[in-house]
Every structure is written in structure tokens, then in C-alpha cells.
Amino acid sequence: MSALSFAELQQRLSADVDDVDGSPAPWDVLVVPSLNLDAQQIALVQGVHHYEERQLFELIRLRQPKARMVFVTSKLLPELVVDAVLELLPGVPISHARHRLKLFDTDDASPRPLAAKLLERPRLLQRIRQVLNLDRSYISCFNVGELERQLSETLQVPLLGTDPALAYWGSKAGSRELFSRCGLTHPAGSELVHSFSDLVEACAELVERESELQRAVVKLNEGFSGEGNAPLELAGLERSHAAGLRQQLSERLEQLPMPAAGWRELLVSQGALVEAWLSGGEELSSPSVQGMIHPGGHVEVLSTHEQLLGGPSGQTYLGCQFPARDHYRCELQRWGLAVGAELAKLGALDHFSVDGLARRFGEQWDLQAIEVNLRKGGTTHPMQALRYLSNGRLCQDSGRFLSPTGSELHYKATDNFTNPRLRGLLPMDLIDLVAGAGLHYDALGESGSVFHLLGCLSEHGKLGMTCIGRSAQEAEQVYARTKARLLGDH
């Protein structure tokens, strides 16, 4: 029998592939948390290979007694890190879940995509293949590039994710095109360019069109988490003379504070564009909507968030709050359905999100679409953790998340709780501290904290956590109490 292509393998996915609770025979899941992103930009992320741990939320599928999973990482996961997730499974003994979970690792912590490491190890792939039900198995990745597609074809196991041939629609230029197709308001900006001189010209044309603009943002086309974005100051430009304007812009672009190393080379290889920097208003926020495109094309809105941003230019993702504000939550959900439907027509699958920017003018909010992400992201883990921990659901009409008891649940989450005082703290120490203070998530009380990125803790003083409560205020209080406990004397 000849090998199937990636497209043919994806055709084997059925609509019940992700229905872990309603199916009498759930699909086996091979979790390969491969971060296939630009090597120079991902090198900026501290403890990056530990980010594979973010997909440990998928272990919570094992609460279904017939579900089975294979989880692969670059380095062997510590027992405590795995057990910290399994102990959250409602009504399922850890030993029972452990029996249905197989862990593999490549013993390779190099900062390369996990899929590349697996493809170099055919004997390991064969062992993985032997434990899967090949008729009802699929691969789950963080994002899908050529390496992940090749892994799917090598294993002959379908991958629930967007074909990398469609990656353009998750780029900065592709996002702007999607927004135009869907009729979503978005900032004034340029076409994609691939040279420094063309970038100067794109900036000049934007300045000439937007005569009052005081700031712009230059974006590498495939940047992520704000690492490929940099502010371009436009105040004080002499705009009356075209040649002089371009010379001034060239000089300012030479000094552009782009976080991504070697951005001039990335400009040539992946392209960049420039957009108006949205300012003004009495209040600014950075909301987002996350959705899921199921096999067959059904689009589901999973969540809305207020993103918490920081870093040198205020554009690096640090965490989020769920849900987004009442003022524009329904509009965000409409965005998710519209963009998801357009992506589904193009053949996209699995998670996607749309980031926006909201400005308040008096009682009114102006909502602008900023970019599309065709992958799991920072807002994926906390919402999936909440769904599985609480067994609740998102009300599609209101955007509120309701537990089975009818409680409305909220959370504040971060991938980037970093402090030098956390260095040297082992995962066991963390569990002791939080358990002693009664801050671990409690299913009966429907509040508390759950943690991820535990592998970053001792070496980097860095941690991820999701703090859940029955109101925004309670979630904020849980977050503050957990932070204070961890930074106290230990």
C-alpha cells in the first residue's frame, strides 16, 4: 500500500476527533509540542524548550477512562511535573491515567523544533507507532510547519492542524488580507516589502497618507509574541519635502529597536510591513478571540481574552485575563466566527486566534483587528485547562464560561511570572508552598491556581500559572495571593 500524502491523511480526520467525552472510542492522541518558529526569534525566549510543557493540559483528556495518549518531549519530563496535571483529573485515579499515557523523549534539549529531532530518530518513531491505534490516531502540535507535515507523512498519522501551505494566512500580510475579506476594521498600513529601501518607501507613503500620524509599528511578516515588532517614531519629521522625508525615515529605521536579532536579514527572507500605531482615547486594551476549526469546517469560538502585554515596546505577550470586557466581547466573537469561516474555506484546521486593539472614547469603544495566529498560543493553555478542570462550557451567546453548577468562572493567567527569587525553587517546593496556603485549584470551591512551565522554575526563576475564580475580582485575588506566597520567604 502506497504512503498517503499529508492532504490525504487529513481527510481521515472525522468530526468526532476531538470529542473526548462524547465518543465511546476516543481517538488516540500523539502530542508533539513542536515549536516550529523562527530560530532567531525563538532564541530570545528564556527556557524555550520547557515551553513544550504548555501542552501538558492535553493530559486532562485522560479523565475519559478509554482515552489514550502518547506525549513526546525533547527531554524526559520529571514525574512530579506529569503528576501535577494528572492529580487534577476528576474521578480518575492517577494510576489508571498513567496506564493510558506513554511518555517518550528525544534526550535532546537543543533549541530546534521537536519534529526535527524526531525525524532524526527513526527507531524512536517506530516505537511510538507501535503503541498507537493507527486507525484512530492523530497528532497534536503547537504549530505546523514543513517538519511537522513531514512527521505526519513519515508516521502515516493525520495531524490536526493547518497545512503549512496555508501559513501565509497567519502572517501579518495575510492577516490584513483576511480582515479586508471579512470587513473587519484594522489599522492603516502598507503592503509586504522585502528590502530596506522598499521599507523606507512604505513608511514614507504611510506618513504622506496619514498626515497626523506620530508613530508607526514595523512588523516582520512572521514575527510572534511581539518579538518581530518595533515602534517607529514619526514625531518631529520634516514632511514637506519628499526626498528629505525619506532620508529622515531611513535614519530612524537604521536605529529601529527591533527585539528580533538580525532583523535586516529577516526583512529580506520573510518580508515586513508598516502599520499606523493606534493611540488616543482614555483607555487602551489588547483583546483577542480564540477559535477552533473542526474537521468538516464547523467553527467554534473557544474564548475571548484581555491580553497582558509588556516588554521593551509593550507588545510582548505576558499573560491574559478571561473573559474580555462586556463592551466588545460579542463583537470579538463575531470576529472569530467570520475569520474562522474564511479560514475554513481555505482549508485551515484546529486552533486560531485574532488579536485586536480597543480604544475607549467616552462611553464608546473602537475595536481594531491586528493579526491572526494559525496555531495554539498563550491563551490556549489556560482556557483548555479551565474547560477540563471544571467540565464547564462557554456560552456562545454571552461569551461567559459556566461551570456545571451554574457559576460564572474567570481567570488570570501568565506564561511569564519571572523573579530571581524563584531560582533554585524545585517543583516539589512549589507544590508544598501552594498546598500549604490552600491555593491549589479546588474543584468544589471552583477557585485556585494551576501551574505549568515547571521545568523553567529552578534554572530560570520562571513559571506559568492560571488563577481561577468565580469573578474577575476573585481570580485577581487568587493571582495576587499566589504570587505573594511564592515570593515570600522559602
Side-chain angles (χ1 to χ4, degrees):
M1 181 177 174
S2 60
L4 299 178
S5 68
F6 183 76
E8 290 170 330
L9 287 166
Q10 284 195 310
Q11 289 300 313
R12 288 168 44 184
L13 296 170
S14 60
D16 71 334
V17 68
D18 203 34
D19 183 7
V20 68
D21 292 316
S23 174
W27 287 60
D28 285 3
V29 185
L30 170 57
V31 182
V32 182
S34 187
L35 278 69
N36 193 349
L37 302 166
D38 180 83
Q40 293 185 46
Q41 293 179 63
I42 206 166
L44 298 171
V45 181
Q46 195 177 51
V48 66
H49 83 267
H50 292 294
Y51 275 65
E52 294 171 359
E53 295 175 25
R54 286 194 300 186
Q55 270 184 258
L56 279 170
F57 71 79
E58 298 206 35
L59 267 62
I60 301 178
R61 292 174 59 95
L62 296 172
R63 69 179 184 181
Q64 211 280 10
K66 293 185 179 180
R68 303 195 315 158
M69 180 175 291
V70 176
F71 201 102
V72 188
T73 49
S74 292
K75 295 291 287 185
L76 183 65
L77 287 170
E79 296 284 321
L80 181 64
V81 171
V82 178
D83 287 347
V85 179
L86 294 181
E87 70 183 7
L88 298 171
L89 302 182
V92 179
I94 289 181
S95 59
H96 193 278
R98 272 283 194 180
H99 181 70
R100 293 176 284 114
L101 170 65
K102 304 298 180 185
L103 300 175
F104 293 90
D105 71 278
T106 64
D107 195 23
D108 182 348
S110 62
R112 298 179 299 139
L114 178 56
K117 301 170 189 178
L118 284 169
L119 289 167
E120 295 167 355
R121 294 163 170 81
R123 292 182 180 179
L124 176 57
L125 289 183
Q126 183 58 31
R127 292 198 293 274
I128 291 171
R129 215 169 174 273
Q130 287 172 350
V131 300
L132 292 169
N133 174 4
L134 297 177
D135 292 329
R136 283 179 67 84
S137 294
Y138 73 91
I139 302 172
S140 174
C141 292
F142 177 76
N143 72 316
V144 184
E146 294 297 333
L147 290 167
E148 289 72 24
R149 178 164 66 181
Q150 186 181 344
L151 180 65
S152 171
E153 292 175 333
T154 300
L155 286 170
Q156 287 291 281
V157 175
L159 195 159
L160 184 60
T162 295
D163 190 326
L166 300 174
Y168 168 77
W169 300 106
S171 70
K172 303 300 185 288
S175 298
R176 292 180 61 81
E177 188 171 336
L178 278 172
F179 299 151
S180 294
R181 290 188 182 193
C182 297
L184 306 187
T185 55
H186 55 287
S190 74
E191 300 296 319
L192 192 65
V193 298
H194 288 270
S195 71
F196 187 79
S197 60
D198 286 344
L199 181 60
V200 173
E201 183 60 29
C203 293
E205 291 177 359
L206 178 62
V207 169
E208 289 166 346
R209 290 200 312 270
E210 306 287 327
S211 59
E212 301 300 317
L213 194 62
Q214 296 297 300
R215 203 182 209 195
V217 56
V218 175
K219 296 183 174 182
L220 292 172
N221 197 37
E222 297 169 20
F224 63 96
S225 293
E227 300 295 348
N229 295 356
L232 175 64
E233 300 298 337
L234 304 176
L237 288 173
E238 175 51 59
R239 307 182 186 215
S240 60
H241 188 269
L245 172 62
R246 283 154 177 79
Q247 178 60 36
Q248 294 170 79
L249 287 169
S250 178
E251 292 170 357
R252 295 191 183 191
L253 286 167
E254 290 281 1
Q255 304 299 320
L256 195 69
M258 180 70 75
W263 76 270
R264 294 282 290 270
E265 291 75 21
L266 294 172
L267 164 63
V268 174
S269 62
Q270 63 180 245
L273 52 80
V274 60
E275 284 182 353
W277 182 289
L278 297 177
S279 59
E282 294 128 80
E283 193 174 354
L284 289 174
S285 64
S286 300
S288 69
V289 57
Q290 181 180 203
M292 173 83 174
I293 304 169
H294 297 275
H298 171 64
V299 178
E300 178 187 5
V301 171
L302 299 178
S303 60
T304 63
H305 289 92
E306 297 292 342
Q307 298 186 95
L308 308 175
L309 306 179
S313 65
Q315 298 185 78
T316 301
Y317 176 82
L318 300 179
C320 62
Q321 292 174 306
F322 168 84
R325 298 172 192 255
D326 293 342
H327 306 284
Y328 44 69
R329 190 187 306 152
C330 290
E331 179 65 5
L332 283 172
Q333 291 176 262
R334 187 186 73 80
W335 279 13
L337 292 173
V339 172
E342 194 65 33
L343 287 170
K345 290 178 190 175
L346 295 164
L349 278 176
D350 199 33
H351 287 77
F352 71 95
S353 62
V354 184
D355 295 341
L357 190 142
R359 299 178 293 174
R360 182 172 66 83
F361 297 91
E363 297 299 315
Q364 301 299 315
W365 285 85
D366 171 59
L367 192 61
Q368 301 273 337
I370 301 297
E371 66 182 48
V372 173
N373 295 301
L374 283 180
R375 53 176 168 79
K376 297 175 176 68
T379 59
T380 303
H381 168 271
M383 173 48 68
Q384 293 294 72
L386 178 66
R387 289 177 70 184
Y388 288 130
L389 286 172
S390 69
N391 202 25
R393 63 179 181 83
L394 185 80
C395 175
Q396 294 295 314
D397 292 332
S398 67
R400 298 184 304 148
F401 189 93
L402 302 177
S403 76
T405 65
S407 299
E408 182 176 340
L409 299 184
H410 299 246
Y411 59 74
K412 181 175 182 178
T414 180
D415 277 340
N416 201 27
F417 176 36
T418 306
N419 192 289
R421 299 182 67 183
L422 296 176
R423 289 188 185 134
L425 197 65
L426 298 174
M428 177 60 79
D429 301 324
L430 170 77
I431 301 302
D432 286 344
L433 284 168
V434 175
L439 289 168
H440 248 308
Y441 179 75
D442 173 39
L444 291 177
E446 299 179 325
S447 71
S449 298
V450 290
F451 300 93
H452 60 285
L453 294 182
L454 294 181
C456 284
L457 183 59
S458 184
E459 181 181 355
H460 301 288
K462 183 176 180 178
L463 180 67
M465 60 187 188
T466 302
C467 301
I468 301 168
R470 286 159 295 187
S471 67
Q473 293 77 14
E474 184 177 18
E476 186 68 49
Q477 289 167 3
V478 172
Y479 183 91
R481 289 173 57 212
T482 303
K483 181 177 177 180
R485 179 64 173 170
L486 293 178
L487 296 182
D489 293 333
H490 42 255

